[in-house]
């Protein structure tokens, strides 16, 4: 309360936590137009992509404040203060969900509230106070860019907040101040990390923004914050060396979620972190395309791995007995990849793997056990994954070589119940498959015995797409629903596409005789599929948007 004026709280009701805004209202994005002239535009895009993936702080709405429900029978709006009658534990939970300034101002309500604030676990998002240390550019009529930022005052204020709170720390998100705090030896950031360790922080997000070029090294003190349950690191030039960690020690005994965003970490250090995190359930590599060059998953606790817009020579699931989901998404520009670049996706011991995708024949080389899956590979106990229930594929149907491998991929997953296929455009088409190819394809177990739902995204009405859907309709004996999502998102084209697909629904050769069978045609209208949707373990199908 010594940091801000303790005025009477406004009467705006608190809002539930949401993802950080991706609009200019977010102060981080107002920094991007003023980026240094040496920063490529792609770097600004990288920063935006990272901020769209990191978890949202409970107070990330930025405008929530406390509102008491007063009796409407009392003139002048006065009456019974129902919020203050709540138990201390519930009040503390409410206060912890407010932006830090609003939480501090609750001390003005009464002595009870003044005592409550220090005992409330700290929730701090530095974007909530960022505007207090920034001045609008005088030449900017809209006031939506910053000409001067008092980084020292911002850093000092954060230090006072962190040192002044007795703990514990529930959640701290630092996405604006890390660059200044880590400069000149990083003394401020090192002090903060010591405080995080001493005050039992549970969730920590450290984004080194706005840092160009990316030269700051993450202090080794981050490895001493043993209380962490969730940790996201972004835009760090180097992760600390783990060679000095005690052998067999559990560095992060409570860590359940770990994310690296454009942060260089060596393969051996990632291996060591997985060994030192015995309850880790979720690992995310976001925009990591320099290191690690080889990602090895050895963990007896991991349930979900997300390889998001990242590049590597190999992604190998070596031993992961609890792994349920392997999420792959590549949206990197072709110029970054090179014509012949491929990532080898190797699946070893993962008996509980249920969700996989998006697999791309143009980008991924699939290896099961010790066998590389190629066109014509025969299914066998060593080349199939019977546990898989949801499969997502991204295919360029205009590239004959890629489309031909589809039947082989499907045979590797004999028990797939839901199939997602995303059609991608080919820069240089190399021939399309006609229906004769699909007609001659031999039996595919998942289509014959298990597949109930097929979702085809980015449908353009090309003949190669239509003949593939016809193949699925004539082979999938238990198919109940097929959803076709248009590429252009034009509702007016729905009727035209529906007419083209009508013959599939009414075909006498349709394999499924289920009375509930239907083909739904939808305009895309913008997909809400994102990193947060893909990483949400409460969703049974992370690809269903």
């Amino acid at each position: 309360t010594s940091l801000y004026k303790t005025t009477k709280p406004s009467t705006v009701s608190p809002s539930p936590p949401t993802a950080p805004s991706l609009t200019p209202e977010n102060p981080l994005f107002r920094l991007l137009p003023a980026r240094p002239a040496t920063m490529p535009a792609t770097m600004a895009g990288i920063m935006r992509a990272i901020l769209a993936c990191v978890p949202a702080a409970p107070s990330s709405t930025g405008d929530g404040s406390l509102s008491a429900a007063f009796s409407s029978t009392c003139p002048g709006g006065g009456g019974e203060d129902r919020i203050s009658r709540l138990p201390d534990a519930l009040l503390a939970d409410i206060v912890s969900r407010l932006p830090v300034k609003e939480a501090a101002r609750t001390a003005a309500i009464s002595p009870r509230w003044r005592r409550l604030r220090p005992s409330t676990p700290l929730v701090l998002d530095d974007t909530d106070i960022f505007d207090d240390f920034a001045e609008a550019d005088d030449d900017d009529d809209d006031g939506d860019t910053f000409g001067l930022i008092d980084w020292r005052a911002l850093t000092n204020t954060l230090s006072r907040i962190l040192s002044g709170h007795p703990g514990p720390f529930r959640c701290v998100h630092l996405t604006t101040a890390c660059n200044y705090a880590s400069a000149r030896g990083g003394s401020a950031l090192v002090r903060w990390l010591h405080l995080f360790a001493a005050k039992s922080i549970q969730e920590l997000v450290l984004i080194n923004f706005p840092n160009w070029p990316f030269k700051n090294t993450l202090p080794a003190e981050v490895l001493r914050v043993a209380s962490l349950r969730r940790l996201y690191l972004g835009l760090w030039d180097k992760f600390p060396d783990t060679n000095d960690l005690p052998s067999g020690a559990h560095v992060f005994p409570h860590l359940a979620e770990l994310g690296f965003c454009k942060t260089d970490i060596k393969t051996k250090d990632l291996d060591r972190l997985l060994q030192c995190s015995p309850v880790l359930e979720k690992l995310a590599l976001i925009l990591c395309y320099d290191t690690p060059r080889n990602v090895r998953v050895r963990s007896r606790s991991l349930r979900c791995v997300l390889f998001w817009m990242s590049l590597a020579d190999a992604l190998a699931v070596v031993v992961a007995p609890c792994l349920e989901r392997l999420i792959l998404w590549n949206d990197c520009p072709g110029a970054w990849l090179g014509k012949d670049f491929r990532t080898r996706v190797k699946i070893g011991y993962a008996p509980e793997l249920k969700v996989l995708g998006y697999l791309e024949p143009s980008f991924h080389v699939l290896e099961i056990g010790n066998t590389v899956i190629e066109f014509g590979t025969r299914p066998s106990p060593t080349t199939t994954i019977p546990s898989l229930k949801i499969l997502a594929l991204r295919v360029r149907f205009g590239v004959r070589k890629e489309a031909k491998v589809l039947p082989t991929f499907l045979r590797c997953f004999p028990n797939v119940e839901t199939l997602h296929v995303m059609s991608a455009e080919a820069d240089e088409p190399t021939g399309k498959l006609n229906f004769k190819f699909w007609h001659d394809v031999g039996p595919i177990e998942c289509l014959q015995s298990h597949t109930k739902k097929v979702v085809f995204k980015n449908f353009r009405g090309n003949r190669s797409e239509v003949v593939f859907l016809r193949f699925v309709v004539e082979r999938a004996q238990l198919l109940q629903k097929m959803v076709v999502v248009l590429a252009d998102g034009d509702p007016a084209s729905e009727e035209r596409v529906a007419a083209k697909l009508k013959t599939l629904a009414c075909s006498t050769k349709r394999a499924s005789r289920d009375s509930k069978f239907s083909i739904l045609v939808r305009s895309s209208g913008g997909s809400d599929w994102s990193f947060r949707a893909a990483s949400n373990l409460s969703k049974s199908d992370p690809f269903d948007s």
Side-chain angles (χ1 to χ4, degrees), residues 127-146:
T127 61
D128 289 338
I129 63 173
F130 183 82
D131 283 349
D132 295 345
F133 303 93
E135 297 178 3
D137 192 332
D138 293 337
D139 296 329
D140 180 49
D141 295 335
D142 297 329
D144 59 357
T145 60
F146 297 131

Side-chain angles (χ1 to χ4, degrees), residues 384-405:
T384 57
I385 302 178
S387 61
L388 203 81
K389 303 297 183 184
I390 300 174
L391 174 65
L393 303 169
R394 194 182 191 193
V395 183
R396 296 186 298 182
F397 283 90
V399 179
R400 184 180 182 88
K401 182 179 179 181
E402 295 178 21
K404 282 180 66 175
V405 82

Side-chain angles (χ1 to χ4, degrees), residues 179 182 208 211-218 235-238:
N179 189 25
S182 60
N208 194 23
N211 174 30
W212 174 257
F214 307 120
K215 294 297 183 184
N216 290 353
T217 298
L218 185 67
L235 301 176
W236 295 98
D237 177 57
K238 184 180 178 183

Side-chain angles (χ1 to χ4, degrees), residues 222-294:
V222 73
L223 297 173
R224 300 189 178 99
V225 190
S227 58
L228 282 168
R229 299 177 185 273
R230 175 190 270 180
L231 173 64
Y232 274 76
L233 303 169
L235 301 176
W236 295 98
D237 177 57
K238 184 180 178 183
F239 187 83
D241 197 306
T242 60
N243 283 340
D244 295 334
L245 293 178
S247 178
H250 289 164
V251 176
F252 296 119
H254 309 290
L255 189 66
E257 184 173 345
L258 176 62
F260 292 97
C261 312
K262 188 65 179 70
T263 293
D264 287 352
I265 178 171
K266 296 180 180 178
T267 298
K268 69 176 184 64
D269 294 323
L270 181 58
D271 290 347
R272 189 78 179 90
L273 280 181
L274 294 182
Q275 295 172 15
C276 296
S277 307
V279 298
L280 186 67
E281 293 189 347
K282 188 185 299 183
L283 172 67
L285 295 173
I286 303 163
L287 285 160
C288 294
Y289 44 77
D290 293 323
T291 60
R293 296 306 305 167
N294 292 285

